[in-house]
Amino acid sequence: MPWKIQLVTNSPAPIFGQIVQQVRQAVAQGLLHAGDRLPTVRELADELVVNPNTIAKAYTELERAGVIAARRGAGTFIADGQCALTAEERERILTRKIEECLTEAVHLGLTQKHVLRLFTETAGRFRWPMK
Amino acid sequence: MPWKIQLVTNSPAPIFGQIVQQVRQAVAQGLLHAGDRLPTVRELADELVVNPNTIAKAYTELERAGVIAARRGAGTFIADGQCALTAEERERILTRKIEECLTEAVHLGLTQKHVLRLFTETAGRFRWPMK
Amino acid sequence: MPWKIQLVTNSPAPIFGQIVQQVRQAVAQGLLHAGDRLPTVRELADELVVNPNTIAKAYTELERAGVIAARRGAGTFIADGQCALTAEERERILTRKIEECLTEAVHLGLTQKHVLRLFTETAGRFRWPMK
Amino acid sequence: MPWKIQLVTNSPAPIFGQIVQQVRQAVAQGLLHAGDRLPTVRELADELVVNPNTIAKAYTELERAGVIAARRGAGTFIADGQCALTAEERERILTRKIEECLTEAVHLGLTQKHVLRLFTETAGRFRWPMK
DNA sequence: GTGGTCTAGACCACT
DNA sequence: GTGGTCTAGACCACC
């Protein structure tokens, strides 16, 4: 992998969830591309010093989300998943996420201008669909 | 309260967490202001039909976060919480939230333009500090 | 539960998959309704004589599919899930299933008339959306 | 072969299983007839770019099911397989398949009318026994 | 050697 | 007492 997964063991976020999020983000940022091979369950388990079942759970979750595809006997690969949800559902999901984000921002005492700048800058580090 | 808390019992999010998030969001949107009185634990427990312990846990969490303050014998009130973190720490926290948001957006197949528009629109419904 | 889950231990289908399919079918046939409570993980594990983790895996899968909703500390309930896939995706998925079904039918040497009758009869035992 | 086998490598379905299903479906749709010659294991392995062992496993499975027959030194041919099961057993097997199909349909939120139309249309693309 | 399933048993978060 | 997470270790299907 072109980068390292960072686990925070003293976190309320479960280990498998941290792995899921970091792989999803790497894909969204274009650090991982469709067809790239992920480390095997056992390799990653050794590297992160967690139980192989925990890695397997993360990979299962990612597969269910269409982010990766596991092939028995061959390994695990980044998929070129297309989201099949309706347009309304997608907006609904994202709006909720954005509201969480903004709630946090206001409570942190940041200004609207500052937040918009941070959002735009960060968006530039992601890999957007062309369509 | 000027608005109703909406609980989704069919949700992986814990009940107390939903309450915390909705109070925080109401404050961030200016629906609740510093000094406003919240319902008592028992009142809210009756209204939402949940265990009083669950409400108490939500209030404890909100107090720990500096969003509300309980005054013995008087009730619970919205605090005018000032965030005591350093500027760097605040940016770090928000950036992580924004990254989660953008990761979701890319996986939903939305365009950068669409997401920026949605973010800006939603930000307009929040109450920002003047500073 | 108004009916019993039947496990075939000598089957290529995994145990958790058999549970998933049978719960899905019970919901589709109207034997289980939104809001109904399922047995606890431990209860069902005892009843079917399998490991609680196996039941938990089945429940997790069903939750991900939106068929049930688990509430920590409260139990597991049938959800009133709405499918948010696009119309094309839904037709695509079902057509593939139908093709599998028909392939099987032809290889069994059944006549078209016979199969259509069986299909229509069986459909009558399901609970269809009104819309 | 009058048509091409399409492998989906990003799929939980095993490669050999996809081959088995597609040959069975081609026979059921009349694209392959009794006596037609199939490619050799090596030819098909080269064409699909998979391990010859995988093709061999698919052929073994198809032969076991009576769909094809290998003749030493001559090649592999589509058999005119007669299903040796009792009428009851055949109905039982098909009913289970139909139930899976209908369970999926209901969960996709499709109407009974829609599903019946799709089933009838698809059935028209299959080659049924005259008997 | 790869991922998938299952068991056994521990601990935690939530109601 | 409920479901959720994690560990440990076994066996199987697939390539």
Side-chain angles (χ1 to χ4, degrees), chain A residues 61 64 84-86 89-90, chain C residues 61 64 84-86 89-90:
Chain A
E61 179 99 356
R64 212 139 312 232
L85 298 177
T86 61
E89 184 70 7
R90 291 188 234 181
Chain C
E61 179 100 357
R64 213 140 311 231
L85 297 178
T86 61
E89 184 69 7
R90 290 189 234 180

Side-chain angles (χ1 to χ4, degrees), chain B residues 41-91:
Chain B
V41 167
R42 288 178 193 171
E43 282 167 7
L44 193 52
D46 286 351
E47 186 185 329
L48 301 180
V49 196
V50 298
N51 193 308
N53 288 331
T54 304
I55 306 294
K57 183 160 189 181
Y59 277 16
T60 304
E61 180 91 1
L62 285 164
E63 190 161 13
R64 203 186 48 71
V67 175
I68 67 177
R71 297 189 217 140
R72 274 280 177 83
T76 307
F77 302 84
I78 302 293
D80 57 346
Q82 299 301 331
C83 181
L85 301 175
T86 66
E88 280 175 356
E89 183 69 6
R90 292 187 221 183
E91 274 214 5

